[in-house]
Amino acid sequence: MQRRVSILVGTLAALTLVAAGAALAWTALSGEGRSVGTWHDAPAVAQSPVAAQRPAGQPVRDTHGATAPAGAPPSAVGGQQQVGDLVRVNRRLGYAAAETFRFPGATYVKVHFSRMHLGPGEHVDVASPDGAEAYRYDAPGAAGTWAMSITGDTAVVRLYRGSRSSRPAVTVDRVARGFSAAEQRLVPEAQLTRPGTTGREESVCGLDDSTEAACYRSANPVAYARSRAVARLLINGTQLCTGWRVGAKNRMLTNNHCFTSSREAYGTEVWFNYECARCGGGAALRPVKVWGDRVLSTNRTYDYTLFTVDDFSRVQKFGYLAFETARPVKGQELYIPQHPAGEPTRITGGLKERAGTCAVADPTYDGYAKDSDVAYYCDTEGGSSGSPVISRATNRVVALHHFGGCPNSGVRADLLAARLRGLL
């Protein structure tokens, strides 16, 4: 099932069918570089009928099948950071009116179709209320189809009639909603720690010296430019890792503990351009979202997954990173662009004249294998898994971050470069 994406400029009503012949085709409106919301708590607003669908105390089932009481902080699963939860709904779409799914304070809303049987010319639009972000589904989808998320707290879903009468069957059975900043602070950190540790170690080593990527635009424009190649990965609707473009081709890298198969990659959203508009936080730019596509190589010992994305042309402009093939040395200064706890891009190390504690502490650190890792005290959090650890001297990647614990550590890039040479 191959997806095709085309960019259209205009309003939601101006959407036209561009992709044809796909099992599931969708169309996106442009809106890149525009502010989409604020990374702060939203004011208290009465719940909509949809937001109130889950009664207090009713168990909910997460994307991995584990049951937990509603309202309880979710637990970490496999080292992925949880950044949202699922709400069960049962809404069958009709022609008469749109269905609105609103969750005050949510950072994104993502709808799941249990059925999408469409007649000739019929289509479903999933959009933000103002139509600035919109996706069109114009062909029958397989059972269990996730739509692309809508940034913000409201998604509007509408079924449009075709040229001939039919009896469509389109049902939304659940919705993923992204946690607000206040909710995210209550979620346990989901960073893995290396074998033999307790898992209770801190990954922010002392005071958190990470800051918004926007703060680097003038202070360190090279580091800022490199951070543009880093993406937020939304996995299974509620889980988060970080990934990044490696090399000039259609190649992305993240951790093996984030996902391992093409099926998982195919259901993963890859968000570029998700960063604060200015230094100091506040409004975030509208992300450019594409789907993951194929896993080309994955390995547990070296904790990497190399994969491609659909509609690669939309994200080429964000640039790419390259491996440092020389072995890291002690004291080498570093910086790490990342999406800790689901936040817009932050960078730790490299803003000031010296990187401080963000430097190689041990170039022969044991990960899943002897001497496989590089250790450092650069600050990371849950969601940072898969981030590139970059040398300040060369602006090349020296490690793929995967463990917290202070020291934190990443798999040596020289080892990854040797293993992936034929695929990049």
Side-chain angles (χ1 to χ4, degrees):
M1 183 170 69
Q2 186 65 36
R3 295 155 297 201
R4 303 179 187 176
V5 183
S6 297
I7 306 300
L8 300 177
V9 179
T11 63
L12 178 60
L15 278 170
T16 58
L17 176 63
V18 175
L24 180 60
W26 58 278
T27 306
L29 284 173
S30 66
E32 300 163 18
R34 286 188 285 181
S35 180
V36 296
T38 301
W39 184 253
H40 296 302
D41 298 331
V45 180
Q47 284 191 321
S48 67
V50 172
Q53 286 285 322
R54 187 185 64 203
Q58 178 180 320
V60 295
R61 191 169 295 275
D62 68 20
T63 55
H64 296 266
T67 301
S75 59
V77 179
Q80 302 166 343
Q81 181 65 40
Q82 188 154 352
V83 291
D85 64 3
L86 298 179
V87 178
R88 286 195 294 267
V89 298
N90 186 22
R91 297 296 182 89
R92 179 163 179 166
L93 272 63
Y95 295 127
E99 291 285 354
T100 299
F101 299 94
R102 182 168 178 263
F103 303 89
T107 49
Y108 65 85
V109 176
K110 183 176 175 69
V111 301
H112 182 270
F113 297 100
S114 58
R115 291 187 299 174
M116 188 184 284
H117 302 302
L118 299 172
E122 293 174 334
H123 64 273
V124 174
D125 284 340
V126 182
S128 57
D130 62 0
E133 184 177 14
Y135 306 95
R136 170 173 291 190
Y137 298 82
D138 68 301
T145 298
W146 279 107
M148 185 70 83
S149 65
I150 298 298
T151 311
D153 67 3
T154 304
V156 180
V157 184
R158 186 184 296 273
L159 172 64
Y160 287 88
R161 191 185 301 273
S163 56
R164 288 182 286 170
S165 61
S166 67
R167 300 182 65 181
V170 180
T171 303
V172 176
D173 64 336
R174 50 191 163 134
V175 182
R177 60 156 198 115
F179 293 140
S180 68
E183 290 174 309
Q184 192 67 58
R185 285 193 289 268
L186 300 176
V187 179
E189 185 176 335
Q191 281 202 99
L192 295 181
T193 55
R194 69 172 180 160
T197 55
T198 67
R200 294 190 295 271
E201 291 82 356
E202 294 295 330
S203 298
V204 172
C205 307
L207 297 176
D208 186 0
D209 71 351
S210 69
T211 190
E212 297 85 5
C215 300
Y216 284 70
R217 284 198 191 108
S218 57
N220 191 334
V222 174
Y224 173 73
R226 297 297 186 272
S227 75
R228 301 279 286 162
V230 176
R232 183 186 200 262
L233 306 183
L234 183 60
I235 305 164
N236 292 323
T238 61
Q239 307 290 330
L240 177 76
C241 281
T242 297
W244 46 282
R245 281 193 60 204
V246 53
K249 297 180 181 179
N250 181 2
R251 301 290 187 269
M252 296 284 301
L253 198 64
T254 189
N255 288 143
N256 170 273
H257 74 252
C258 293
F259 62 82
T260 61
S261 69
S262 293
R263 180 179 179 181
E264 292 170 293
Y266 201 76
T268 295
E269 296 185 21
V270 182
W271 295 18
F272 285 89
N273 200 50
Y274 188 55
E275 60 180 77
C276 290
R278 58 181 59 86
C279 184
L285 300 179
R286 184 178 300 283
V288 178
K289 302 176 185 178
V290 294
W291 293 102
D293 194 12
R294 291 187 301 128
V295 167
L296 303 178
S297 180
T298 189
N299 183 278
R300 183 181 182 278
T301 300
Y302 295 98
D303 203 7
Y304 74 81
T305 292
L306 182 72
F307 67 103
T308 64
V309 297
D310 205 21
D311 204 7
F312 174 60
S313 61
R314 292 188 64 208
V315 301
Q316 281 183 285
K317 62 187 174 185
F318 296 108
Y320 60 88
L321 300 173
F323 287 131
E324 176 62 76
T325 56
R327 186 166 181 166
V329 296
K330 187 172 183 178
Q332 189 172 1
E333 294 188 329
L334 310 169
Y335 63 95
I336 306 179
Q338 57 191 291
H339 287 281
E343 294 192 49
T345 310
R346 296 181 70 86
I347 304 176
T348 183
L351 182 61
K352 300 177 182 178
E353 184 177 346
R354 294 189 60 80
T357 59
C358 192
V360 174
D362 185 349
T364 58
Y365 198 67
D366 292 346
Y368 286 129
K370 184 175 175 57
D371 295 346
S372 63
D373 280 23
V374 177
Y376 38 80
Y377 288 90
C378 311
D379 295 323
T380 60
E381 294 184 55
S384 300
S385 290
S387 299
V389 182
I390 304 175
S391 166
R392 287 191 71 182
T394 66
N395 291 295
R396 287 175 171 264
V397 177
V398 300
L400 175 66
H401 175 72
H402 68 150
F403 288 154
C406 292
N408 307 324
S409 72
V411 181
R412 286 167 40 197
D414 60 310
L415 299 178
L416 296 176
R419 295 184 66 87
L420 298 174
R421 185 177 295 115
L423 294 172
L424 298 180

mmCIF file of all heavy atoms in Angstrom, residues 395-421:
data_model
loop_
_atom_site.group_PDB
_atom_site.id
_atom_site.type_symbol
_atom_site.label_atom_id
_atom_site.label_comp_id
_atom_site.label_asym_id
_atom_site.label_seq_id
_atom_site.Cartn_x
_atom_site.Cartn_y
_atom_site.Cartn_z
ATOM 1 N N ASN A 395 31.568 19.120 13.204
ATOM 2 C CA ASN A 395 30.128 19.130 12.907
ATOM 3 C C ASN A 395 29.678 17.842 12.216
ATOM 4 O O ASN A 395 28.708 17.828 11.456
ATOM 5 C CB ASN A 395 29.749 20.352 12.068
ATOM 6 C CG ASN A 395 29.875 21.633 12.864
ATOM 7 O OD1 ASN A 395 29.154 21.852 13.843
ATOM 8 N ND2 ASN A 395 30.830 22.484 12.476
ATOM 9 N N ARG A 396 30.365 16.749 12.532
ATOM 10 C CA ARG A 396 29.976 15.427 12.078
ATOM 11 C C ARG A 396 29.514 14.598 13.277
ATOM 12 O O ARG A 396 29.886 14.878 14.419
ATOM 13 C CB ARG A 396 31.138 14.728 11.370
ATOM 14 C CG ARG A 396 31.440 15.304 9.986
ATOM 15 C CD ARG A 396 32.674 14.658 9.371
ATOM 16 N NE ARG A 396 32.836 15.061 7.986
ATOM 17 C CZ ARG A 396 32.416 14.368 6.925
ATOM 18 N NH1 ARG A 396 31.817 13.176 7.124
ATOM 19 N NH2 ARG A 396 32.582 14.806 5.705
ATOM 20 N N VAL A 397 28.731 13.569 13.000
ATOM 21 C CA VAL A 397 28.139 12.754 14.055
ATOM 22 C C VAL A 397 29.181 11.766 14.586
ATOM 23 O O VAL A 397 29.752 10.987 13.818
ATOM 24 C CB VAL A 397 26.907 11.995 13.529
ATOM 25 C CG1 VAL A 397 26.323 11.088 14.609
ATOM 26 C CG2 VAL A 397 25.847 12.982 13.041
ATOM 27 N N VAL A 398 29.414 11.790 15.905
ATOM 28 C CA VAL A 398 30.370 10.867 16.521
ATOM 29 C C VAL A 398 29.670 9.717 17.243
ATOM 30 O O VAL A 398 30.319 8.726 17.592
ATOM 31 C CB VAL A 398 31.321 11.596 17.498
ATOM 32 C CG1 VAL A 398 32.121 12.659 16.771
ATOM 33 C CG2 VAL A 398 30.552 12.198 18.668
ATOM 34 N N ALA A 399 28.347 9.823 17.475
ATOM 35 C CA ALA A 399 27.629 8.751 18.170
ATOM 36 C C ALA A 399 26.132 8.871 17.921
ATOM 37 O O ALA A 399 25.620 9.952 17.615
ATOM 38 C CB ALA A 399 27.911 8.784 19.665
ATOM 39 N N LEU A 400 25.442 7.738 18.061
ATOM 40 C CA LEU A 400 23.986 7.672 18.002
ATOM 41 C C LEU A 400 23.496 7.479 19.430
ATOM 42 O O LEU A 400 23.654 6.404 20.017
ATOM 43 C CB LEU A 400 23.547 6.507 17.109
ATOM 44 C CG LEU A 400 22.047 6.212 17.039
ATOM 45 C CD1 LEU A 400 21.300 7.356 16.375
ATOM 46 C CD2 LEU A 400 21.794 4.894 16.278
ATOM 47 N N HIS A 401 22.895 8.516 20.010
ATOM 48 C CA HIS A 401 22.492 8.460 21.420
ATOM 49 C C HIS A 401 21.473 7.353 21.666
ATOM 50 O O HIS A 401 20.517 7.195 20.913
ATOM 51 C CB HIS A 401 21.892 9.801 21.848
ATOM 52 C CG HIS A 401 21.355 9.774 23.245
ATOM 53 N ND1 HIS A 401 22.169 9.729 24.351
ATOM 54 C CD2 HIS A 401 20.084 9.733 23.713
ATOM 55 C CE1 HIS A 401 21.426 9.677 25.444
ATOM 56 N NE2 HIS A 401 20.153 9.684 25.080
ATOM 57 N N HIS A 402 21.682 6.586 22.776
ATOM 58 C CA HIS A 402 20.663 5.586 23.112
ATOM 59 C C HIS A 402 20.513 5.325 24.606
ATOM 60 O O HIS A 402 19.461 4.870 25.023
ATOM 61 C CB HIS A 402 20.915 4.266 22.378
ATOM 62 C CG HIS A 402 22.140 3.497 22.784
ATOM 63 N ND1 HIS A 402 22.203 2.121 22.702
ATOM 64 C CD2 HIS A 402 23.351 3.891 23.249
ATOM 65 C CE1 HIS A 402 23.401 1.702 23.083
ATOM 66 N NE2 HIS A 402 24.111 2.741 23.423
ATOM 67 N N PHE A 403 21.489 5.620 25.456
ATOM 68 C CA PHE A 403 21.377 5.333 26.890
ATOM 69 C C PHE A 403 21.452 6.609 27.717
ATOM 70 O O PHE A 403 22.283 7.485 27.469
ATOM 71 C CB PHE A 403 22.517 4.416 27.361
ATOM 72 C CG PHE A 403 22.416 2.989 26.898
ATOM 73 C CD1 PHE A 403 23.553 2.212 26.772
ATOM 74 C CD2 PHE A 403 21.199 2.415 26.594
ATOM 75 C CE1 PHE A 403 23.483 0.888 26.350
ATOM 76 C CE2 PHE A 403 21.109 1.090 26.176
ATOM 77 C CZ PHE A 403 22.256 0.337 26.052
ATOM 78 N N GLY A 404 20.585 6.684 28.742
ATOM 79 C CA GLY A 404 20.720 7.696 29.775
ATOM 80 C C GLY A 404 21.475 7.109 30.954
ATOM 81 O O GLY A 404 21.957 5.982 30.909
ATOM 82 N N GLY A 405 21.572 7.865 32.038
ATOM 83 C CA GLY A 405 22.179 7.334 33.253
ATOM 84 C C GLY A 405 23.307 8.136 33.843
ATOM 85 O O GLY A 405 23.758 7.852 34.946
ATOM 86 N N CYS A 406 23.803 9.159 33.166
ATOM 87 C CA CYS A 406 24.874 10.017 33.692
ATOM 88 C C CYS A 406 26.082 9.210 34.197
ATOM 89 O O CYS A 406 26.192 8.964 35.400
ATOM 90 C CB CYS A 406 24.348 10.959 34.767
ATOM 91 S SG CYS A 406 23.221 12.204 34.102
ATOM 92 N N PRO A 407 27.046 8.807 33.362
ATOM 93 C CA PRO A 407 27.103 9.350 32.005
ATOM 94 C C PRO A 407 26.055 8.735 31.082
ATOM 95 O O PRO A 407 25.659 7.582 31.236
ATOM 96 C CB PRO A 407 28.512 8.981 31.543
ATOM 97 C CG PRO A 407 28.821 7.726 32.283
ATOM 98 C CD PRO A 407 28.182 7.894 33.638
ATOM 99 N N ASN A 408 25.625 9.545 30.110
ATOM 100 C CA ASN A 408 24.783 9.075 29.029
ATOM 101 C C ASN A 408 25.708 8.543 27.933
ATOM 102 O O ASN A 408 26.914 8.827 27.937
ATOM 103 C CB ASN A 408 23.905 10.212 28.514
ATOM 104 C CG ASN A 408 23.123 10.865 29.640
ATOM 105 O OD1 ASN A 408 22.689 10.190 30.573
ATOM 106 N ND2 ASN A 408 22.955 12.181 29.574
ATOM 107 N N SER A 409 25.165 7.799 26.990
ATOM 108 C CA SER A 409 26.061 7.269 25.970
ATOM 109 C C SER A 409 25.345 7.020 24.659
ATOM 110 O O SER A 409 24.121 6.900 24.599
ATOM 111 C CB SER A 409 26.729 5.977 26.454
ATOM 112 O OG SER A 409 25.825 4.898 26.497
ATOM 113 N N GLY A 410 26.175 6.934 23.603
ATOM 114 C CA GLY A 410 25.693 6.631 22.264
ATOM 115 C C GLY A 410 26.618 5.652 21.578
ATOM 116 O O GLY A 410 27.802 5.533 21.931
ATOM 117 N N VAL A 411 26.075 4.953 20.590
ATOM 118 C CA VAL A 411 26.867 3.990 19.825
ATOM 119 C C VAL A 411 27.857 4.747 18.944
ATOM 120 O O VAL A 411 27.497 5.727 18.282
ATOM 121 C CB VAL A 411 25.957 3.110 18.959
ATOM 122 C CG1 VAL A 411 26.776 2.093 18.171
ATOM 123 C CG2 VAL A 411 24.922 2.406 19.816
ATOM 124 N N ARG A 412 29.094 4.307 18.922
ATOM 125 C CA ARG A 412 30.148 4.979 18.161
ATOM 126 C C ARG A 412 29.806 5.067 16.677
ATOM 127 O O ARG A 412 29.467 4.075 16.040
ATOM 128 C CB ARG A 412 31.474 4.253 18.345
ATOM 129 C CG ARG A 412 32.118 4.471 19.681
ATOM 130 C CD ARG A 412 33.251 3.501 19.935
ATOM 131 N NE ARG A 412 34.084 3.248 18.746
ATOM 132 C CZ ARG A 412 34.911 2.217 18.629
ATOM 133 N NH1 ARG A 412 35.006 1.324 19.615
ATOM 134 N NH2 ARG A 412 35.641 2.054 17.537
ATOM 135 N N ALA A 413 29.940 6.271 16.130
ATOM 136 C CA ALA A 413 29.602 6.478 14.724
ATOM 137 C C ALA A 413 30.582 5.797 13.784
ATOM 138 O O ALA A 413 30.201 5.395 12.680
ATOM 139 C CB ALA A 413 29.554 7.979 14.426
ATOM 140 N N ASP A 414 31.837 5.655 14.198
ATOM 141 C CA ASP A 414 32.792 4.979 13.308
ATOM 142 C C ASP A 414 32.396 3.520 13.103
ATOM 143 O O ASP A 414 32.580 2.965 12.010
ATOM 144 C CB ASP A 414 34.218 5.105 13.840
ATOM 145 C CG ASP A 414 34.395 4.502 15.229
ATOM 146 O OD1 ASP A 414 33.591 4.830 16.118
ATOM 147 O OD2 ASP A 414 35.341 3.712 15.430
ATOM 148 N N LEU A 415 31.820 2.897 14.133
ATOM 149 C CA LEU A 415 31.335 1.524 13.980
ATOM 150 C C LEU A 415 30.108 1.476 13.069
ATOM 151 O O LEU A 415 29.978 0.573 12.228
ATOM 152 C CB LEU A 415 30.990 0.929 15.345
ATOM 153 C CG LEU A 415 32.134 0.816 16.356
ATOM 154 C CD1 LEU A 415 31.621 0.255 17.677
ATOM 155 C CD2 LEU A 415 33.265 -0.058 15.816
ATOM 156 N N LEU A 416 29.211 2.442 13.226
ATOM 157 C CA LEU A 416 28.010 2.485 12.387
ATOM 158 C C LEU A 416 28.374 2.773 10.934
ATOM 159 O O LEU A 416 27.802 2.186 10.008
ATOM 160 C CB LEU A 416 27.042 3.547 12.915
ATOM 161 C CG LEU A 416 26.466 3.312 14.303
ATOM 162 C CD1 LEU A 416 25.609 4.490 14.724
ATOM 163 C CD2 LEU A 416 25.660 2.023 14.353
ATOM 164 N N ALA A 417 29.312 3.688 10.730
ATOM 165 C CA ALA A 417 29.729 4.026 9.365
ATOM 166 C C ALA A 417 30.259 2.799 8.634
ATOM 167 O O ALA A 417 29.964 2.589 7.444
ATOM 168 C CB ALA A 417 30.787 5.126 9.400
ATOM 169 N N ALA A 418 31.020 1.980 9.321
ATOM 170 C CA ALA A 418 31.573 0.779 8.702
ATOM 171 C C ALA A 418 30.478 -0.226 8.363
ATOM 172 O O ALA A 418 30.503 -0.864 7.303
ATOM 173 C CB ALA A 418 32.602 0.143 9.638
ATOM 174 N N ARG A 419 29.465 -0.355 9.229
ATOM 175 C CA ARG A 419 28.401 -1.325 9.020
ATOM 176 C C ARG A 419 27.429 -0.868 7.923
ATOM 177 O O ARG A 419 26.830 -1.701 7.226
ATOM 178 C CB ARG A 419 27.608 -1.556 10.310
ATOM 179 C CG ARG A 419 28.421 -2.202 11.429
ATOM 180 C CD ARG A 419 27.529 -2.481 12.634
ATOM 181 N NE ARG A 419 26.531 -3.490 12.340
ATOM 182 C CZ ARG A 419 26.697 -4.803 12.458
ATOM 183 N NH1 ARG A 419 27.859 -5.281 12.870
ATOM 184 N NH2 ARG A 419 25.733 -5.637 12.179
ATOM 185 N N LEU A 420 27.243 0.448 7.773
ATOM 186 C CA LEU A 420 26.200 0.960 6.880
ATOM 187 C C LEU A 420 26.747 1.529 5.574
ATOM 188 O O LEU A 420 25.991 2.073 4.782
ATOM 189 C CB LEU A 420 25.387 2.039 7.612
ATOM 190 C CG LEU A 420 24.640 1.562 8.854
ATOM 191 C CD1 LEU A 420 23.993 2.744 9.573
ATOM 192 C CD2 LEU A 420 23.564 0.534 8.467
ATOM 193 N N ARG A 421 28.042 1.409 5.366
ATOM 194 C CA ARG A 421 28.677 2.051 4.219
ATOM 195 C C ARG A 421 27.970 1.735 2.903
ATOM 196 O O ARG A 421 27.767 2.606 2.050
ATOM 197 C CB ARG A 421 30.146 1.645 4.146
ATOM 198 C CG ARG A 421 30.931 2.364 3.053
ATOM 199 C CD ARG A 421 32.406 1.981 3.083
ATOM 200 N NE ARG A 421 33.050 2.437 4.302
ATOM 201 C CZ ARG A 421 33.566 1.624 5.238
ATOM 202 N NH1 ARG A 421 33.483 0.306 5.083
ATOM 203 N NH2 ARG A 421 34.137 2.115 6.313
#
